[in-house]
Amino acid sequence: SAGGPSACSRMPAPAGGALLEGTGRHMSDIFVSYASADRERAQILADALAARGWSVWWDRTIPPGQEFDKVIEEALDSARCVVVLWWRPPTASTWVKTEAADAMRRKILVPALIDDTKIPLEFRRLQAADLSDWEPHLDHDEFDGFCRSIEANLSGRGEPVLPPPLPRPRQP
């Protein structure tokens, strides 16, 4: 799908997300789970989601000197939605599967395929958006549906937000 800007857009949100009460830490709207071999594609997606006004956490934001597993666990626990990127290497990644399992248990998982791969068995019952041919800044139906699913998770509705129906033409 090619064309102009994507229909999935929002107003900018405060950087870093909402402050978790009494912790001094921020809660992100979206936690991005991916295998390190696909860092470049994860960055593109994280940037696209952030451009739509959502606060996005991914492991490139771990401060030097911090224990990465502790920081990742805190970010995962505080995220309102978890996006997992499935492609050949992550299907074998223990970290990605663990993060996806936690999100699935919490009913906040929104999976995406970024190539033609077989999703691990325990996650196949959950529909994944096919973003294998998605390019940023272009219209893409799967990406728009992916964004609606994220919005549904963030709003607490748990179902994709569908566009309002078009008005019916008046008949004379």
Side-chain angles (χ1 to χ4, degrees):
S1 302
S6 174
C8 182
S9 60
R10 294 172 27 110
M11 296 299 294
L19 192 62
L20 292 174
E21 193 172 322
T23 67
R25 290 176 291 161
H26 287 87
M27 172 175 59
S28 295
D29 292 326
I30 303 165
F31 177 102
V32 177
S33 178
Y34 68 99
S36 60
D38 197 41
R39 183 170 292 129
E40 183 179 328
R41 189 75 170 163
Q43 168 101 49
I44 291 167
L45 182 69
D47 290 347
L49 296 174
R52 282 155 180 80
W54 290 310
S55 59
V56 178
W57 191 95
W58 65 307
D59 65 1
R60 297 299 89 196
T61 57
I62 296 175
Q66 297 293 314
E67 295 176 29
F68 71 91
D69 55 339
K70 181 179 177 187
V71 174
I72 289 171
E73 186 174 353
E74 288 173 355
L76 182 62
D77 287 348
S78 67
R80 297 171 51 216
C81 179
V82 175
V83 165
V84 64
L85 303 181
W86 295 120
W87 78 300
R88 286 180 187 97
T91 58
S93 168
T94 303
W95 278 102
V96 172
K97 286 194 271 187
T98 300
E99 292 163 357
D102 182 73
M104 194 162 166
R105 178 188 56 77
R106 293 170 50 204
K107 298 184 181 349
I108 62 169
L109 179 61
V110 180
L113 293 166
I114 55 175
D115 77 355
D116 184 24
T117 192
K118 192 172 186 178
I119 296 173
L121 181 62
E122 65 185 300
F123 303 105
R124 287 187 207 153
R125 66 178 182 246
L126 195 59
Q127 180 66 32
D130 182 359
L131 303 183
S132 58
D133 65 349
W134 168 72
E135 294 294 329
H137 313 296
L138 298 178
D139 285 335
H140 191 276
D141 292 340
E142 284 285 320
F143 185 71
D144 291 343
F146 177 69
C147 288
R148 286 191 300 272
S149 292
I150 290 170
E151 182 65 38
N153 268 289
L154 295 175
S155 69
R157 288 189 293 272
E159 293 181 14
V161 179
L162 301 174
L166 296 173
R168 301 182 97 198
R170 293 181 183 236
Q171 302 209 353

